[in-house]
Amino acid sequence: MHSTAPSLTPPAPAGSEPVGGPRAAAATPTHCPYCALQCGMGLAPAEGEPGGLAVVERTEFPVNRGALCGKGRTAPALLARGVRLTGPLVRSAVTGELEPASWRTALDRVARALAGTRGTYGADACAVFGGGGLTNEKAYALGKFARVALGTAQIDYNGRFCMSSAAAAQQKAFGLDRGLPFPLEDVSRTGCVILVGSNLAETMPPAVRFLTELREAGGTLIVVDPRRTRTAEAADLHLAPRPGTDLALALGLLHLVVAQGLTDTEFVAERTVGWPEARAAAMAHWPELVERITGVPVPQLREAVRLFTAPRNAMVLTARGPEQQSKGTDTVGAWINLSLATGRAGRPLSGYGCLTGQGNGQGGREHGQKADQLPGYRRLTDPAAREHVAGVWGVPPQSLPGPGRSAYELLDALGGDLRALLVMGSNPVVSAPRAAHVEKRLRSLDFLAVADVVLSETARLADVVLPVTQWAEETGTTTSLEGRVLLRRQAVEPPREVRSDLYVLHELAARLGVGQGFPTEPEEVFGELRRASAGGPADYSGITYRRLAEEQGVFWPCPEPGPAERSPHPGTPRLFLERFAHPDGRARFAAVEHRPAAEETDGEYPVVLTTGRVVAQYQSGAQTRRVAELNEAAPGPFVELHPRLAARIGAAEGDPLVVVSRRGRAVAPARITRTIRPDTVFMPFHWPGAGRANNLTNPALDPTSRMPEFKTCAVRVERATDGAAEPEAEPRRPSA
């Protein structure tokens, strides 16, 4: 079977491929600014281009060994003056347009608006929205700024839309959330991988080599995806469930494990609790019922169980597919149950892991920009955690506000009791569910400030836009999906009128009456972060810039050595090998049952929409849509549909289609393919305007993680008529 499966290597220009090597010795070692692989790269002066940078190989970095996708190879294009912001912008009260201004004018206006809102309506009328691409230092400082300088509970970030369901499920099951509790290299050395809801060949191309090496070594790959993606094409077995039914699929597989006597009873007895309840829930999902719910034939279910249980070691890896659902926490919990019941967790070369998406999605939530967390992955409601962090910050514990709203709930409340908003490194106009509604809420604010690298769709609505440094222009740390803390080094000076996010927070805090505690040097901020995280679940206290400069990253937890210890803590590449993180050392099964998606199809909306990414674009596209090579590879949105559905609505390849849900509409050309289910359509979510896929998506929230249901909603699909495109929105009203 392995010899005839298609290659997982994506084609140029956007696939995984080495880049120039001769100048590597002179290059500044750093990491790609995009996804959570945080691939190693070098940046060197570009020949014949004064001030320009060229990407060179870093073959010694173990995750990508020099290979980069098209986004990484073209990342220096984001530094060009015509692409990025080069000075502050302030909206004129006379013309209503964004106009150039000095930093003093811009910062004074932001501080005056925040202070005025706080004075009139209270601190919680001010909100902060962060991003999963911010460095650890910036995420830490932003959380501190919200809680200390503003005194508001209303802070969350776009990472809530990424892997919050997996985080919640891992916390429940293991007592600790780290995307992967083992290095990526272990994936190539296990016996079988079930990859659920991930198309690595397009979302993280350099990681594909771990799947290729797995199969070359005789291991097997099972891909769960409603589309036959490039990743699914290369699998030994592809399961194509109807979107929103992954929970039933996982329960059906566990039913077969129990029925066939494949449970690891010794592991279950010694290292878990809650098995009787989880087993009873799984036994209510017999194979024929699961086939009716998911559309996956019973023989394929049985084959998946055979492949997964045959080798000694196996893994389950989930991504956005099962997580971005209103039952995402339970769905991930069911896949973790499968790992625990078969003894595929807490052992070498086995386990469950989540493929975090955003560049610093892991570190971004560990250090305080998530609504309910303090640095070190401490809970905001824990009195001991509050006391520790408040001590580091030099404030009374009782002064720290409690948990605030989750990301969508925060955005939905804008213009109501939330009157002013500071956004750092996020573009919710494109990325949020029910995006047209979120855009209206942003327009209704009394005041909006955005700090970003480019003039994103969200920044275009702002009263003040603050141009900030990006990855090659600053030093800072990120934490990859492996839990590997990495140092990104500054390679070039930013434009003269561009400042760092740390500078912005320092200046705003001073104007709000907090003159101390917001340093502008990243290493100083990291030193404080180390102290704040010490003793917490995500303990960084034993990690230093010097150490990161000498090593290929350090895996947390990494506590500072005690007085009697002679050498630094080595970090923790592999978690749970001896005990799980609950006080009794045991993992918890989740007693979960299948339930329908928040919105089922009906006669008016008979088709399921699912959304996702394409290889040449990234997230909301705010950066990648400014790179010519990437736009040539992926110039715009599309609607992927099966020939049977196309025939039913009379659509041909390239015809403009209107996709309508209960929340809005989107218009994009048809892409007809047999690689998708006939009852499903797919749209990528990288574009604004008429093709904005998130006009359609459902903000129904998971009750635990508060993750919106991006991955499934009911729609109808029609051929477009003249004038079907989304009308231009009204210009933003200038603030007072």
Side-chain angles (χ1 to χ4, degrees):
M1 183 177 294
H2 294 174
S3 61
T4 59
S7 168
L8 279 165
T9 304
S16 173
E17 51 192 67
V19 292
R23 294 167 296 178
T28 300
T30 188
H31 295 270
C32 177
Y34 289 110
C35 82
L37 285 181
Q38 287 297 281
C39 291
M41 63 162 62
L43 292 174
E47 296 178 2
E49 186 183 334
L53 290 176
V55 174
V56 297
E57 287 186 4
R58 272 187 70 192
T59 56
E60 76 280 6
F61 188 65
V63 172
N64 63 308
R65 300 178 194 166
L68 293 166
C69 74
K71 295 185 290 290
R73 287 190 296 102
T74 60
L78 298 173
L79 302 169
R81 291 187 66 88
V83 174
R84 53 89 48 77
L85 291 166
T86 55
L89 301 171
V90 172
R91 193 169 298 279
S92 168
V94 176
T95 68
E97 300 296 325
L98 287 169
E99 298 178 354
S102 69
W103 270 97
R104 174 176 290 184
T105 297
L107 290 168
D108 284 350
R109 185 157 174 185
V110 176
R112 187 168 59 247
L114 293 175
T117 300
R118 183 174 62 181
T120 303
Y121 302 104
D124 276 352
C126 299
V128 177
F129 198 82
L134 300 181
T135 62
N136 290 319
E137 292 81 1
K138 293 190 283 189
Y140 171 84
L142 187 62
K144 181 180 180 182
F145 173 82
R147 296 179 175 105
V148 174
L150 279 176
T152 182
Q154 306 308 325
I155 175 172
D156 210 70
Y157 82 128
N158 62 18
R160 177 79 67 169
F161 300 157
C162 178
M163 62 164 292
S164 58
S165 293
Q170 286 181 296
Q171 287 279 5
K172 286 184 175 183
F174 306 137
L176 182 67
D177 154 46
R178 196 178 84 187
L180 293 181
F182 41 75
L184 267 168
E185 64 188 37
D186 285 4
V187 172
S188 60
R189 299 161 57 206
T190 192
C192 178
V193 168
I194 300 181
L195 183 63
V196 188
S198 172
N199 180 14
L200 277 183
E202 299 225 22
T203 58
M204 296 180 174
V208 164
R209 71 173 178 84
F210 297 105
L211 302 180
T212 302
E213 291 171 4
L214 162 77
R215 302 185 70 252
E216 288 174 347
T220 53
L221 173 64
I222 302 168
V223 170
V224 179
D225 198 308
R227 304 164 63 220
R228 191 164 182 80
T229 63
R230 200 151 57 215
T231 309
E233 280 285 344
D236 297 279
L237 178 63
H238 173 215
L239 307 180
R242 178 181 166 91
T245 64
D246 313 78
L247 176 51
L249 179 62
L251 288 165
L253 296 180
L254 184 54
H255 177 111
L256 287 170
V257 165
V258 175
Q260 296 176 20
L262 299 172
T263 307
D264 188 331
T265 54
E266 182 179 348
F267 177 90
V268 169
E270 293 180 357
R271 300 198 58 189
T272 73
V273 296
W275 171 235
E277 295 80 8
R279 179 182 56 199
M283 296 315 288
H285 296 78
W286 60 94
E288 292 75 16
L289 173 63
V290 170
E291 178 178 326
R292 288 201 298 273
I293 295 171
T294 66
V296 178
V298 170
Q300 288 189 5
L301 300 176
R302 296 186 185 280
E303 178 66 1
V305 169
R306 186 189 70 80
L307 292 174
F308 185 65
T309 58
R312 174 177 174 79
N313 304 308
M315 295 176 178
V316 174
L317 304 178
T318 67
R320 306 301 79 77
E323 296 163 26
Q324 290 181 327
Q325 299 184 31
S326 59
K327 53 182 183 294
T329 302
D330 285 356
T331 301
V332 173
W335 288 105
I336 292 175
N337 285 354
L338 182 66
S339 297
L340 292 172
T342 54
R344 264 58 174 173
R347 288 178 174 170
L349 305 182
S350 288
Y352 163 81
C354 167
L355 298 169
T356 307
Q358 294 191 79
N360 197 32
Q362 182 71 50
R365 69 179 177 281
E366 292 169 4
H367 298 299
Q369 64 171 333
K370 190 165 176 278
D372 56 352
Q373 288 177 192
L374 289 170
Y377 228 142
R378 288 181 159 93
R379 294 187 180 278
L380 190 53
T381 53
D382 178 0
R386 294 171 65 88
E387 183 175 2
H388 173 85
V389 174
V392 174
W393 288 351
V395 300
Q398 63 270 21
S399 72
L400 299 180
R405 294 173 170 92
S406 71
Y408 180 77
E409 291 166 306
L410 186 157
L411 296 171
D412 188 41
L414 298 178
D417 59 339
L418 301 186
R419 312 295 292 256
L421 175 67
L422 171 64
V423 177
M424 274 195 162
S426 186
N427 189 19
V429 166
V430 178
S431 63
R434 200 184 173 197
H437 171 74
V438 168
E439 181 176 344
K440 289 179 181 177
R441 303 320 308 151
L442 286 162
R443 291 178 181 277
S444 71
L445 283 164
D446 293 346
F447 182 82
L448 172 63
V450 174
D452 210 331
V453 173
V454 298
L455 192 64
S456 69
E457 286 72 25
T458 302
R460 290 181 183 277
L461 303 181
D463 297 288
V464 177
V465 180
L466 303 173
V468 290
T469 50
Q470 55 179 302
W471 104 110
E473 301 164 345
E474 61 185 9
T475 294
T477 62
T478 62
T479 305
S480 75
L481 78 172
E482 303 172 294
R484 188 194 300 255
V485 184
L486 301 162
L487 182 63
R488 293 201 310 211
R489 299 165 177 85
Q490 182 178 353
V492 66
E493 290 295 323
R496 187 170 61 87
E497 287 299 307
V498 170
R499 304 286 187 269
S500 73
D501 302 77
L502 296 178
Y503 170 87
V504 169
L505 295 174
H506 170 87
E507 292 292 323
L508 290 179
R511 285 167 169 80
L512 292 168
V514 183
Q516 301 293 325
F518 290 91
T520 60
E521 288 299 318
E523 189 168 5
E524 186 177 351
V525 177
F526 190 76
E528 185 180 308
L529 181 157
R530 292 173 59 211
R531 298 193 300 275
S533 73
D539 191 333
Y540 283 34
S541 61
I543 306 174
T544 64
Y545 269 34
R546 179 175 180 177
R547 184 172 176 184
L548 292 176
E550 295 171 350
E551 302 180 32
Q552 298 295 339
V554 178
F555 293 84
W556 71 260
C558 181
E560 191 168 25
E565 297 174 285
R566 297 184 178 180
S567 58
H569 190 285
T572 314
R574 295 170 180 85
L575 298 169
F576 313 138
L577 296 184
E578 296 180 1
R579 55 182 286 119
F580 294 97
H582 288 294
D584 61 4
R586 292 170 174 260
R588 271 63 171 153
F589 279 96
V592 296
E593 297 183 355
H594 173 71
R595 60 184 185 275
E599 183 176 79
E600 293 279 86
T601 56
D602 58 20
E604 187 175 2
Y605 301 98
V607 178
V608 179
L609 168 72
T610 192
T611 63
R613 286 168 49 188
V614 297
V615 66
Q617 301 288 352
Y618 182 70
Q619 303 300 78
S620 75
Q623 296 181 49
T624 50
R625 285 187 276 110
R626 288 166 167 81
V627 178
E629 181 179 337
L630 301 179
N631 278 335
E632 184 178 351
F638 57 86
V639 181
E640 187 178 281
L641 72 165
H642 192 275
R644 271 194 264 165
L645 177 56
R648 191 159 72 242
I649 64 174
E653 181 74 15
D655 282 353
L657 300 181
V658 180
V659 185
V660 184
S661 77
R662 291 177 174 86
R663 289 152 297 281
R665 57 197 277 123
V667 183
R671 182 174 293 183
I672 301 173
T673 175
R674 294 187 178 276
T675 61
I676 193 168
R677 293 173 54 97
D679 58 4
T680 301
V681 294
F682 167 83
M683 289 188 71
F685 55 72
H686 309 291
W687 288 274
R692 182 168 57 179
N694 276 321
N695 285 350
L696 308 165
T697 47
N698 191 353
L701 301 180
D702 180 290
T704 302
S705 69
R706 316 309 288 169
M707 167 77 83
E709 192 155 70
F710 286 101
K711 285 299 180 185
T712 177
C713 70
V715 299
R716 66 174 181 267
V717 184
E718 306 164 345
R719 290 183 62 192
T721 57
D722 291 342
E726 180 184 50
E728 288 294 319
E730 71 277 7
R732 178 168 164 76
R733 175 180 60 82
S735 65

